[in-house]
C-alpha cells in the first residue's frame, strides 16, 4: 500500500509530529511505502491565486476551478501543486495529520486542499461523492485538540466532533471519492502527562495496524439522486 | 455603527467583490463607519507560525495560543495581526465575505481567523460562546458558491449549508461571543445571468438595510453547563 501523510503543525517537536512519526514507523514496519508532506517544513504556499497557473485560459478574469481543469490537462499548473497532486494520485491511503484550529484545519492545510484537489482530476461535473475522481482510495483524519472528550458528542457543549469536521470529512474527502475512516482523535493534548501521550501513541499504532478492518463512514451516493441532483423518492 | 468587512477572493473583479462593494455602499449610506480588510489585496499572510511573535515566552517550543495570550499583553504580537485585531475590536459588526472553497473559507481567510482571533482577548478559560471576549458584537457571513440551492437542506445531497458552515458559525464566530446572523448566500454564481446577479445584489442591499431586525442564530450558553462543562440536567 502507498501512504501519503500530509502533516501541518507550526511546532516541529509537537505531539502531532509524534503521531506523524508513529504513522510512518507503523506503516513502514508493515511493508507499506510512505511519503510525508510536512507543509510547514516545506514552506508550503497555502494561497490559491492566479500565480498557480503558468499560462491562463482567461488572463483577464480568474475562475480558479476552471483554470485548474485546463491547467492540469495542459501541464501548466504550478510545480508545487503538481508535485503534491502526483503524491495524491500515487497514494492508496491519505492521512491528514493536524492540530484542530478553530474546529477545523490550520490555514496551511486548508490551502493544500484548496490548491491540490484540482478540478478535472479529483472531481468535476457528476464526478463527486462515490463517483469522485479519487474513488478507491481511503482517507484518515488524525487530529489533536485542546478540548476534553466530554465536551464533544450529542448534547455536549460543542456537539459531535464529526459534525464540526463535516466540511473536511464529507465536503472534501468524501466529495472527491475517498472512503473516509473514522477520525483518530487525541484529546486535551497540551494539558496531559507524558504517560497519557504515550497511551495515545500506542492506541494510534493499534488503530493503524488494523486499519484494513475499519468500516468507512457512510455518505451520500449519487444513485440516491436524480439527474438534477434532487433526492429520489 | 462600526463595520469591518473581511473579504477574501483571488479575483478582484469577482461577484464576491461586488457583494463587498454593495455592503460598503449600503452601510455608508446609512451613516455607518466601514473598514475593509481585502486579504488578497493586502497580500495577507495566512500562516500561523513562530514568526507571529517578536519575542517568545518559550523560544524552544511553540504553543501558539499561549504565545498569543502573552504576546498581546506585552504588545509583542506581529504588526499585521495587531492591526487586524484593532479593527476587530473597533467593529460592532463583522462581515466575512468569501467564496465557498471546499464547503468552508478559503485558506486566506482561515489564516485571518487562525492569527487574528487571539487567545486572551477573543476567548480564553471560560470566556467562550455567550461569555466570549467579543460578546456584544454581531457577525454576518456572506458567501458565494457554485452549487444550486436545492443541493442544500435536509435530505439534499450536501445537507444543510449551515451544517457545513458549523466550524465558522458556531466553532469560530459564536465561540468568541458574536451574535451570529443567518448567512447571506448567493447560489450558483459562476453560471447565472447578469440579471440574476443584480437580483442577489438587490436582495443583499435589502437584507443589510434591515439588519438590525435580524434575530441571531441560537447557540449554547455556558449557563447550560456545569463547572466542568458537562450539560446541566
Amino acid at each position: 500500500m502507498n501512504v501519503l501523510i500530509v502533516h501541518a503543525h507550526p511546532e516541529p517537536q509537537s505531539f502531532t509530529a509524534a503521531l506523524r512519526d508513529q504513522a510512518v514507523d507503523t506503516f513502514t514496519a508493515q511493508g507499506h511505502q510512505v511519503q510525508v508532506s510536512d507543509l510547514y517544513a516545506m514552506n508550503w504556499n497555502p494561497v490559491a491565486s492566479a500565480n498557480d497557473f503558468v499560462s491562463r485560459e482567461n488572463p483577464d478574469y480568474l475562475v480558479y476551478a476552471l483554470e485548474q481543469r485546463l491547467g492540469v490537462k495542459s501541464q501548466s499548473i504550478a510545480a508545487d501543486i503538481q508535485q503534491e497532486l502526483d503524491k495524491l494520485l500515487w497514494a492508496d491511503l491519505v492521512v491528514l495529520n493536524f492540530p484542530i484550529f478553530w474546529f477545523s484545519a490550520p490555514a496551511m492545510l486548508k490551502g493544500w486542499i484548496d490548491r491540490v484537489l484540482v478540478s478535472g482530476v479529483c472531481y468535476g461535473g457528476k464526478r463527486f461523492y462515490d463517483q469522485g475522481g479519487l474513488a478507491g482510495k481511503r482517507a484518515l483524519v488524525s487530529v489533536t485538540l485542546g478540548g476534553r472528550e466530554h465536551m464533544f458528542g450529542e448534547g455536549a457543549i460543542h456537539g459531535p466532533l464529526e459534525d464540526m469536521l463535516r466540511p473536511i470529512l464529507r465536503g472534501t474527502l468524501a466529495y472527491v471519492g475517498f472512503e473516509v475512516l473514522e477520525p483518530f482523535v487525541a484529546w486535551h493534548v497540551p494539558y496531559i502527562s507524558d504517560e497519557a501521550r504515550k497511551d495515545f501513541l500506542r492506541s494510534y499504532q493499534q488503530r493503524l495496524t488494523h486499519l484494513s478492518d475499519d468500516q468507512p463512514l457512510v455518505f451520500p451516493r449519487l444513485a440516491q439522486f436524480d439527474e438534477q441532483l434532487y433526492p429520489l423518492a
Side-chain angles (χ1 to χ4, degrees), chain A:
Chain A
M1 183 167 75
N2 294 339
V3 182
L4 171 62
I5 301 173
V6 184
H7 168 77
H9 196 295
E11 170 52 58
Q13 309 166 81
S14 68
F15 180 69
T16 312
L19 287 176
R20 173 202 61 202
D21 295 343
Q22 179 65 263
V24 172
D25 292 349
T26 306
F27 289 128
T28 304
Q30 287 182 295
H32 302 312
Q33 302 297 311
V34 182
Q35 292 193 73
V36 175
S37 291
D38 184 336
L39 301 183
Y40 273 88
M42 292 158 66
N43 200 20
W44 173 255
N45 164 26
V47 178
S49 79
N51 300 327
D52 291 347
F53 312 103
V54 177
S55 66
R56 293 259 297 277
E57 171 74 8
N58 184 348
D60 300 321
Y61 189 96
L62 178 69
V63 179
Y64 193 77
L66 176 66
E67 296 292 346
Q68 282 184 317
R69 206 146 61 219
L70 300 164
V72 79
K73 212 182 278 181
S74 63
Q75 303 198 299
S76 62
I77 209 156
D80 61 339
I81 298 176
Q82 187 66 56
Q83 277 172 24
E84 292 303 302
L85 181 59
D86 290 344
K87 291 183 200 169
L88 181 63
L89 296 176
W90 164 86
D92 304 301
L93 169 69
V94 173
V95 180
L96 301 183
N97 191 66
F98 60 96
I100 297 272
F101 282 10
W102 297 103
F103 298 95
S104 53
M108 189 59 123
L109 177 57
K110 180 53 168 52
W112 185 91
I113 291 168
D114 288 348
R115 297 178 71 224
V116 177
L117 298 184
V118 300
S119 178
V121 176
C122 301
Y123 71 99
K126 289 283 173 64
R127 294 168 59 236
F128 63 103
Y129 288 136
D130 59 313
Q131 303 298 313
L134 304 185
K137 299 177 186 293
R138 288 187 307 159
L140 173 66
V141 165
S142 294
V143 294
T144 56
L145 74 173
R148 290 173 184 271
E149 190 164 4
H150 75 264
M151 298 176 193
F152 292 86
E154 288 300 339
I157 190 158
H158 300 311
L161 182 61
E162 288 74 10
D163 287 358
M164 283 289 191
L165 295 178
R166 178 185 271 227
I168 298 176
L169 300 176
R170 174 170 169 169
T172 303
L173 296 170
Y175 186 91
V176 296
F178 280 109
E179 294 200 322
V180 183
L181 306 178
E182 197 185 312
F184 178 85
V185 184
W187 309 95
H188 208 44
V189 163
Y191 312 104
I192 61 177
S193 66
D194 270 6
E195 196 43 56
R197 290 182 176 205
K198 281 181 190 142
D199 285 345
F200 276 126
L201 290 173
R202 271 189 291 266
S203 69
Y204 192 42
Q205 181 182 32
Q206 281 293 308
R207 173 85 192 278
L208 296 180
T209 303
H210 302 285
L211 209 58
S212 54
D213 303 338
D214 268 35
Q215 287 303 308
L217 302 174
V218 175
F219 293 106
R221 289 176 298 107
L222 287 204
Q224 298 163 326
F225 297 85
D226 72 13
E227 276 302 299
Q228 278 73 46
L229 299 174
Y230 284 95
L232 291 169

